[in-house]
Amino acid sequence: RPVLVRCSLLSHHRGRRAKFLALRRAGACSADPLSPTGAVAEATTTTPRGTTLRGPEYVAALEASRYVASPPGVGHANFRDVEAVLAGAVPVLEAGRWQPLRVPSERLNANLPHVLVNNASAWGALRPADLPSSRPRGDVRTYYLPYWLYHVFRRLLAANVTAAPPVTAAPPRAAPLGAC
């Protein structure tokens, strides 16, 4: 994979811009040809003109990357986490600040290949030399529905649940006045 860290192709809202700039200053994005550099990086909130990729081009850009920066956006996790894993890249994620946000994503990501940045200010400390030279171990099957169906059905069978309980219909509602 020719690109070490993909630092582009993601909107820069909710503090992401500062994190991408910190990665660029640390040299983590130097091999990303789609990442703006120099004064352009300081002045823009999007990738350079002409680098908006959609569909197959976007997936190909992720597939060409070993690591994909995926700082949180509106919520703690974002679509980029899943896209990176499905493209075979390793997402670089940020640990959640608040316990309620951390627990679900930590449980899901515990078995996935990923690199974790401890907090919002640690993005600038991430250097290319700090990244593992080989892909971190992990099981990407947790991002697929069949994985979860297998485990749900296995637990149901272990509990001797072999048939669904009978479905009882709710009693019909009385027709509103004047509906006739």
Side-chain angles (χ1 to χ4, degrees):
R1 294 178 184 244
V3 177
L4 180 63
V5 181
R6 176 72 61 199
C7 298
S8 58
L9 307 174
L10 189 64
S11 64
H12 290 183
H13 63 283
R14 303 276 178 144
R16 283 185 186 153
R17 182 172 188 263
K19 294 169 187 174
F20 280 121
L21 288 174
L23 283 171
R24 288 184 188 112
R25 286 187 200 112
C29 305
S30 60
D32 184 354
L34 301 177
S35 181
T37 58
V40 175
E42 300 293 334
T44 186
T45 59
T46 60
T47 57
R49 271 182 204 256
T51 59
T52 300
L53 303 180
R54 305 233 181 261
E57 293 172 324
Y58 176 75
V59 173
L62 292 180
E63 288 174 340
S65 312
R66 283 191 239 163
Y67 296 92
V68 174
S70 187
V74 175
H76 177 64
N78 68 66
F79 62 90
R80 180 76 168 257
D81 305 349
V82 177
E83 291 172 346
V85 170
L86 296 179
V90 176
V92 179
L93 308 173
E94 182 179 318
R97 287 183 284 180
W98 302 289
Q99 188 65 21
L101 291 176
R102 272 201 313 259
V103 173
S105 63
E106 283 178 358
R107 285 183 182 162
L108 177 63
N109 293 329
N111 294 322
L112 291 173
H114 69 284
V115 172
L116 194 62
V117 174
N118 289 329
N119 55 46
S121 61
W123 287 91
L126 184 67
R127 307 272 188 275
D130 299 332
L131 295 169
S133 58
S134 61
R135 182 181 171 84
R137 292 190 177 271
D139 187 358
V140 299
R141 293 179 299 172
T142 57
Y143 272 157
Y144 294 94
L145 180 61
Y147 173 88
W148 295 105
L149 290 176
Y150 167 79
H151 288 287
V152 168
F153 289 140
R154 192 179 78 184
R155 286 194 177 186
L156 288 172
L157 289 174
N160 287 327
V161 177
T162 57
V167 177
T168 57
R173 293 186 188 187
L177 294 175
C180 300

